[in-house]
Structure formats: C-alpha cells, structure tokens
Amino acid sequence: MKKLYILFILIFLMLVPNNIHARSLDDNEKVYITITIAGDDSLPPFEYVDGKGIYKGFNIDIMRAISIEEGIEIEIIPMPWYKAIDALNNGEIDAIQGMKYSKTRDINYDFSMPYIQTPNSIFVRNDNKYIHEINDLKDKRVAIQKNDISKYLLANRDIENLIEVNNQEEALIKLINKEIDAYVGNKLTGAYYIQKKGFEEYVKTVGEDLLVENYCVAVLDGNNEIIDIFNDGIKKIISNGTYDKIYKKWFGEYFYDNSKILKNILVALGVAFLLVVLITIFTIKWNRQLKERVEERTIELKRENILKEKILNSIFSYILVVDRDKKVLLMNDKAKRLIDNKKDFTYLNDTVLGKIIDNNDINEVTQRGIEIKNKEVVSSIDDISTYQYNLSPISIDNDNFGAVISIKDITEEKMLRERLMATDKLKTLGRLAATVAHEIKNPLTAIKAYVELMPEKIGSERFRENLLEDVPREIDRLDKFINDLLNYSRHRRGKKEELNIIEVVKDTLRFLSREIKKHDIEMVCDIHKDAKVLVSRDQLRHILMNLLLNAIDAVKVNSVPKIKVYSAVDGQYIKLIVEDNGKGIDEKTLKKVFEPYYTTKKEGVGLGLAITQQMVKKNNGEISVESKLGIGTKFIITLGLLKKGEILCIDS
C-alpha cells in the first residue's frame, strides 16, 4: 500500500510541468560538473556503509542514476547524520541526499521534489506494557538520532531524559540493554537492524506511524540551481523506469497470498453469517415476546373496556357523547332503550333526548368549552316530566370539542322533595305552634284592650289618638305575619319569563324610595344592561324586596348609611349582589340565617330569608351570604344568564 502511495506521488510529479528554473539538458547540452553530497553512514536501507566499507543503499542508487541522466559528477560522502547537517550548514558540501521535509527545516533549507515518503515509529522492548503511543513517552528515557527530525516531534512533551545517539543501531542496542525505555526513529531503518541482528523477539514497534513526510534532496536556502538539477533528474528516472527498478531492488514488491485472502474472506463471511443468524434469532425471540405482550395488553384493554362499559351501563342516568355537529358517538344501554336503538338515527336532534336539551347549551359546550351543571328543565314532550342534565366538553381532536351528556329523570325526586319540604314545614309549624300563637295573640290582645276601653274612654282625645295609631299597626303586624306564614307553607308555582334584571331592580327601588329617603340612605346601583334571566317576576321582586328591607333595617342606625345593588357576570351565570354597610353578622349567626323561624329581630318571626332562599331555588338559582362584623353584609344571588351586556350604572 505504501509503495502504491509513493508511486502515485512520483507519477503526479512527472505530470507537473518543469519549473522555469529547472535545468533541463539534452544530450548535446550536458555539462560535466561535480556536486558534493553527504549522506548518513548508518541509515539502511536508504544509505549505509556495509561490512566491506562500501557505501550503498536506496539513496546512493538514486543519486547515481540522476548523475548519469544529468551528465554530472556527484561525489557522495558518508558521515554520521549530525555531521552531515553541520557540513551543509558550514558550506563544506552542496547538498544532503536524503532529508525529511518539515516547515521548521524549510526556513533554512530548500528541498527538491520528494522521491519517497518515510515514516518514523516508536520502538520499545517486547516486554513493554505501558508505552503505546507518543503521549506515553512523558517522563521516560527516550533516544533519537542526533539532529533527527524526531527532535521537533518530541519537543515540549516532558521527556525525562532525551538521549541523542549517532545512529539507530546504537539506539537499538541501548534499548535491548535497558539503558533507555524507547527510541523514535525511521521505521524501515529500525526494521532493517532488528532483522539483521535477529532482535525480533526483543523489540517491537507501537502506536501509529509518525512524521510520514516527504524525503527530498536538501540544500541551503537560495541554492536553486542545484535543486533544479535534482528535480530534472528525478523526473527523468521516474519516466524511464529507472526509479521503479531501484525501488524494487531495495524495498521489493508486495505479493499477496490468494489463499490467505480467500481464507480471510471466508472468515469474514462466516462471522457475518453468524451475526445474521444471531440477529435473526434475537429478532424472532423479540417479536414473539412483543407479540405476547401485545396480546396481554390487548386482553387487559378488552377487560378494561368491558368494565368501563358495565360501569357506564349501570349508571341510572342517560349517558351520551356527541361531536360538534351533535352526531351521536356513544351512548349507554339506558339511553339506547329510551331512544329505541332499532330506529335509524345519527344525530341527537333525531332522538327524544334531543327535545330535552337546549341546543344553545350544547353549542356553548362544543364551541366554547363551557361546562353546564345541574340544569333542570321540564320536558316539552308532556310538560310534566322534569329532567336534570349536565354537559361537559370533551376534546375529540385538536381544538374540536364534543360533549358528554348526562340526563337524569328527576320527576319523582322533585315531587318527593317538594312533599318532604312541605312536610318539614308542617312539622316545623307544629313544633313552633307556641311561637305562632304568641305572635298572633299579642296584637289581638292589644286590639281587644282598646275595644274593651272604648265605652269608658271614647271621649278622651288622647285615647282616640292612641287607638288610631296602635290598632292599625297591630293589624298590619298581624297581617304581615299571616302572609309570611302562608307564603312559607304554600307551594307557589310562579310563572317563569324572560326578564331584564335591571327593570326588576328599578321597580323594586322605586317602591322602596320612600323608605330610602326617610333614612337618608345612599343607594348605588350597578347592573349589567340587557342581562336577561328566565325567572318568575313576582318571586324575583319578592326576593329583592326582602333583601333590601333587611339591608335598610341594618343601615338605618348608621351615621352614613349605604346600600349597593350590583351584578357580576361569571361565564354563563350572573350574580346579583345586595351589599350594606351595617354592623354585620357574627359567624355563629351567619350559619343559621336561612333557617325557618330563626331571627335576631325583636318583632320578626324568621321566615323572610327562608322564603327568599326557597324562591331562589325555585328559579334554578343559589343564594349565599358573606358578612364581617363592623363592616357589613353581602347577599349573593346566582342565576343562569340568557344574555349579558355592558354595565349601566344608576344612582338613587
């Protein structure tokens, strides 16, 4: 492989046009001059003095071939390498026949075109276990040939003791004698000495090839004339085949054992076949295990689905899942039985359940992702049955929402709830009969007293004034108590209609304007314009009336009384809030404000807020209370919103 690489370089150089400074001489122009060249006397097989004192080697034959082609005399002088460098530097010789090129050397020398490449290697003893590459030479004893290019390679590597020797044979002997740990030198020269001396069992090379550089003729910087001669000669011996003959003489040819190659190929194929078999076995086994796991998981999923289906079918509600277009995707058995799944249908509106649910509610869920909870509706089918439904958004794909629908028939439940409520009221009335009798008896006693005194004191002006003031008041008190009692115990079925909240609030405030002005109360109203709800007008007015009267009673003793009625929209709901700056309610009392017959007023019977709560619930709403002592009280009514608009502020 190395030979092919070298031949490639040399063929490339042959194709390069001659340098304009090159001295090209044909046979008629040959000039016989003498060039003095030095070479290493101990660098086989490149150049060395043999046992008979003959200077020979690859470089010697190359120089002689150039001498013949160029028609010049070349005097080749063998000497130790370091002396050859000194001789060139001092001008005692014209050139060195073989020197590795480097950028550092290029500063002081000029180089011919390369005629071979040579690598350096690290040589160690066979028992070495710790030196494997150049970085392992740190803190070791390392030998190099004097002025060899390896000196630049080992600079700044913290070598413990860098020993310079005259030639590689000397370094090899020192290595075997354990005077050094390694030496760095020309790979081919080292191999030559090891083979010649029979040191194969003592020495080896480690690591990668180092300093694989071009091998050239070197002269002092600026001596272009001699470089031109050698460049021309190198090209000629390459083109006429002389170079190839010299190379084969000293380095031979690479012969390949076809049987060994075939053996290596068969081994490689065997290994590859074995790997394929192992991979196939592993893949089959893995696929079998994967298949078993898939089957196990499939069974688990099937069991889970069966369980989920059983749970879904065991629910008492009608369960359906629809997409954005109200297409039915899933339903439980209860819903199927109601719909009669033998009929051909695709969309919710084609079923009886579609007549129960408001389309606007489904659109809110599927288009805006809003959840609707516990909405009660009376069926449009028979106007008797009452249903309660919940709608929850479900993501089908990306931003496409469907709806999970849960519908429950609460007709019987509602009737039972109302019966229980009525029964509970009667029981409460029975337990508090004494209180009722007392409340009725007090005004009757006062009226009776005035009637009995009339024959005697009818002529008294003061008596008549007291009579005209006290009797009507006691009658009003009795009338109010009886009305409250009837309202609480009676089952009212107020007709619901679409109302604008602000109109009802205005009417109520107008009715109470006399009481508000009488106590100099600051009244603030901040209600959403066009906030419409579906409620009973009379019941909503009654609710507001009770809350505002309670607020007036709470603030009328304040130096700066203030009541605020305002609204807040929360999604599909509107909150109607009545807030006062009265003395507030303590935590213990706050828990009982909606209990029937619980009151803190001297003249009250505790039915007002109980009736208010009942009316709010009848209108599918909720009422809650917040209060802090010394700050005030806030009643919050939450109703379903049909339409929301901008805020309109009214001050009374």
Side-chain angles (χ1 to χ4, degrees):
M1 192 67 182
K2 293 177 182 175
K3 178 182 176 183
L4 292 175
Y5 181 72
I6 294 166
L7 287 176
F8 174 77
I9 294 175
L10 296 177
I11 291 170
F12 172 77
L13 293 173
M14 287 177 61
L15 298 176
V16 177
N18 290 343
N19 189 290
I20 58 172
H21 299 293
R23 178 175 175 176
S24 180
L25 301 174
D26 56 30
D27 291 338
N28 297 325
E29 295 178 321
K30 289 183 180 179
V31 177
Y32 291 91
I33 61 174
T34 302
I35 297 175
T36 306
I37 296 179
D40 194 336
D41 61 359
S42 183
L43 192 68
F46 296 97
E47 48 197 17
Y48 65 100
V49 178
D50 66 6
K52 297 178 181 181
I54 300 173
Y55 193 36
K56 56 201 270 187
F58 174 75
N59 292 349
I60 310 302
D61 288 352
I62 292 292
M63 293 302 107
R64 287 172 179 167
I66 292 173
S67 172
I68 294 170
E69 292 294 332
E70 293 296 311
I72 58 174
E73 292 290 336
I74 295 179
E75 182 183 0
I76 304 173
I77 305 170
M79 62 182 69
W81 176 251
Y82 70 94
K83 288 185 178 181
I85 297 292
D86 291 340
L88 180 60
N89 292 338
N90 295 331
E92 298 172 5
I93 57 174
D94 297 314
I96 291 178
Q97 63 183 354
M99 180 187 289
K100 277 192 176 183
Y101 172 85
S102 73
K103 291 182 180 180
T104 304
R105 285 176 169 175
D106 194 35
I107 297 172
N108 300 314
Y109 306 104
D110 280 342
F111 293 87
S112 71
M113 65 175 61
Y115 58 88
I116 196 171
Q117 276 195 332
T118 62
N120 279 23
S121 286
I122 302 171
F123 293 83
V124 295
R125 291 185 297 276
N126 274 340
D127 59 357
N128 166 74
K129 295 292 189 287
Y130 52 89
I131 297 175
H132 304 286
E133 59 176 15
I134 191 168
N135 292 328
D136 296 331
L137 297 177
K138 181 180 179 181
D139 300 328
K140 303 297 185 295
R141 298 170 298 168
V142 181
I144 60 170
Q145 191 173 2
K146 289 181 181 179
N147 286 337
D148 186 70
I149 195 172
S150 300
K151 187 173 184 179
Y152 303 113
L153 178 67
L154 299 178
N156 302 320
R157 291 191 179 271
D158 297 329
I159 305 299
E160 180 183 281
N161 188 6
L162 189 61
I163 302 168
E164 292 187 310
V165 296
N166 293 324
N167 51 60
Q168 285 188 229
E169 182 179 9
E170 183 181 342
L172 183 62
I173 294 172
K174 285 182 175 292
L175 180 64
I176 293 173
N177 292 332
K178 298 185 179 181
E179 297 176 25
I180 57 174
D181 299 308
Y183 85 83
V184 179
N186 189 283
K187 185 175 183 178
L188 294 176
T189 301
Y192 175 89
Y193 280 124
I194 291 170
Q195 187 175 12
K196 180 180 178 181
K197 300 292 184 180
F199 291 157
E200 292 91 339
E201 60 178 312
Y202 303 107
V203 182
K204 65 181 178 181
T205 60
V206 294
E208 298 179 352
D209 289 345
L210 308 172
L211 295 170
V212 183
E213 299 290 351
N214 293 326
Y215 206 50
C216 314
V217 176
V219 300
L220 287 176
D221 188 39
N223 199 343
N224 295 327
E225 185 179 359
I226 294 179
I227 289 299
D228 290 343
I229 293 172
F230 281 104
N231 283 343
D232 187 65
I234 292 170
K235 290 179 181 179
K236 287 180 178 179
I237 64 172
I238 291 173
S239 63
N240 62 26
T242 304
Y243 176 88
D244 191 50
K245 293 176 182 178
I246 296 171
Y247 186 92
K248 290 178 181 179
K249 172 184 175 181
W250 290 101
F251 299 109
E253 292 186 273
Y254 288 95
F255 295 96
Y256 298 95
D257 186 349
N258 291 333
S259 63
K260 187 175 181 180
I261 295 173
L262 181 60
K263 182 179 179 181
N264 291 336
I265 293 173
L266 291 174
V267 170
L269 289 174
V271 172
F273 177 74
L274 183 60
L275 287 175
V276 170
V277 171
L278 291 175
I279 292 171
T280 303
I281 293 172
F282 175 77
T283 303
I284 293 172
K285 186 175 181 180
W286 173 258
N287 287 337
R288 187 175 299 164
Q289 291 178 349
L290 188 61
K291 184 178 180 182
E292 291 175 355
R293 291 180 183 176
V294 170
E295 289 176 354
E296 290 175 1
R297 184 57 183 157
T298 302
I299 293 172
E300 289 178 4
L301 289 174
K302 189 175 181 180
R303 289 174 180 170
E304 290 177 4
N305 290 334
I306 292 172
L307 180 60
K308 290 177 182 177
E309 187 176 351
K310 287 182 178 179
I311 293 173
L312 191 64
N313 291 330
S314 65
I315 297 174
F316 293 106
S317 302
Y318 308 108
I319 306 294
L320 301 94
V321 179
V322 299
D323 63 10
R324 185 187 290 270
D325 299 322
K326 302 183 187 68
K327 182 179 180 180
V328 178
L329 304 178
L330 176 71
M331 68 176 73
N332 66 351
D333 288 347
K334 188 174 178 65
K336 290 178 182 178
R337 287 193 294 270
L338 178 67
I339 292 173
D340 187 3
N341 59 351
K342 294 180 181 179
K343 294 181 180 180
D344 187 20
F345 71 91
T346 303
Y347 295 93
L348 179 65
N349 291 340
D350 298 333
T351 69
V352 67
L353 294 177
K355 299 178 181 179
I356 297 173
I357 303 171
D358 189 340
N359 278 328
N360 293 328
D361 289 343
I362 296 183
N363 292 335
E364 286 289 303
V365 175
T366 58
Q367 295 175 15
R368 299 176 56 196
I370 295 174
E371 189 175 35
I372 295 176
K373 296 181 179 179
N374 300 327
K375 183 168 183 179
E376 290 187 11
V377 293
V378 177
S379 174
S380 60
I381 300 171
D382 56 13
D383 291 328
I384 297 174
S385 301
T386 303
Y387 293 90
Q388 182 186 75
Y389 62 76
N390 293 275
L391 305 179
S392 300
I394 181 172
S395 178
I396 296 177
D397 51 47
N398 298 328
D399 296 330
N400 185 14
F401 285 103
V404 178
I405 304 173
S406 172
I407 306 174
K408 185 179 179 181
D409 187 344
I410 61 169
T411 305
E412 294 183 4
E413 179 183 332
K414 185 176 180 181
M415 293 174 62
L416 180 60
R417 187 171 64 233
E418 291 177 352
R419 288 174 190 163
L420 290 173
M421 187 181 296
T423 303
D424 185 61
K425 290 175 184 177
L426 292 174
K427 288 181 179 179
T428 304
L429 288 173
R431 289 196 301 268
L432 300 174
T435 303
V436 174
H438 177 74
E439 290 296 329
I440 295 175
K441 187 176 181 180
N442 284 341
L444 289 177
T445 301
I447 294 171
K448 180 182 178 183
Y450 276 108
V451 171
E452 289 177 349
L453 292 172
M454 283 180 65
E456 298 177 6
K457 296 186 177 184
I458 191 64
S460 172
E461 184 178 354
R462 183 177 180 183
F463 175 80
R464 291 195 303 272
E465 290 176 357
N466 290 338
L467 174 67
L468 293 175
E469 181 179 351
D470 292 341
V471 171
R473 186 177 67 246
E474 293 299 326
I475 292 173
D476 288 342
R477 178 182 171 190
L478 182 61
D479 181 65
K480 183 179 183 303
F481 174 75
I482 293 172
N483 285 332
D484 285 347
L485 187 61
L486 291 173
N487 286 333
Y488 178 71
S489 59
R490 187 184 301 143
H491 175 63
R492 289 197 167 207
R493 195 181 185 86
K495 183 179 180 181
K496 294 180 183 179
E497 57 184 303
E498 185 177 321
L499 298 176
N500 195 324
I501 289 181
I502 195 169
E503 295 176 0
V504 182
V505 173
K506 282 182 181 180
D507 291 343
T508 308
L509 291 176
R510 195 178 298 113
F511 184 79
L512 295 172
S513 59
R514 183 178 177 182
E515 284 291 314
I516 294 170
K517 291 178 181 178
K518 178 181 177 182
H519 299 288
D520 196 21
I521 298 171
E522 180 187 355
M523 175 63 69
V524 178
C525 182
D526 187 5
I527 304 294
H528 278 72
K529 183 182 179 181
D530 295 332
K532 295 184 178 181
V533 293
L534 186 65
V535 296
S536 165
R537 181 187 294 271
D538 291 338
Q539 290 178 358
L540 180 57
R541 192 178 334 181
H542 190 93
I543 292 166
L544 287 170
M545 187 76 71
N546 276 349
L547 296 179
L548 287 169
L549 286 172
N550 285 345
I552 291 170
D553 287 341
V555 303
K556 65 185 180 182
V557 295
N558 284 12
S559 58
V560 185
K562 182 177 180 179
I563 297 174
K564 184 178 179 182
V565 182
Y566 58 98
S567 63
V569 173
D570 182 11
Q572 60 196 12
Y573 299 98
I574 184 169
K575 293 182 178 181
L576 184 61
I577 303 162
V578 178
E579 183 176 352
D580 66 64
N581 65 343
K583 66 178 181 179
I585 306 172
D586 62 77
E587 187 175 349
K588 183 178 180 181
T589 304
L590 197 64
K591 296 178 181 179
K592 301 179 179 181
V593 292
F594 295 113
E595 291 183 8
Y597 299 106
Y598 179 82
T599 182
T600 57
K601 297 179 182 179
K602 293 181 179 179
E603 297 180 355
V605 293
L607 291 174
L609 287 177
I611 294 170
T612 298
Q613 184 185 49
Q614 184 186 39
M615 288 183 177
V616 171
K617 288 184 176 181
K618 285 182 178 181
N619 288 277
N620 298 322
E622 295 179 358
I623 185 170
S624 60
V625 60
E626 298 175 4
S627 185
K628 290 185 180 180
L629 287 174
I631 296 178
T633 304
K634 184 190 297 184
F635 283 91
I636 304 164
I637 302 167
T638 303
L639 298 169
L641 183 64
L642 293 180
K643 183 178 180 182
K644 62 180 180 181
E646 59 187 11
I647 293 179
L648 177 68
C649 297
I650 305 169
D651 294 328
S652 299

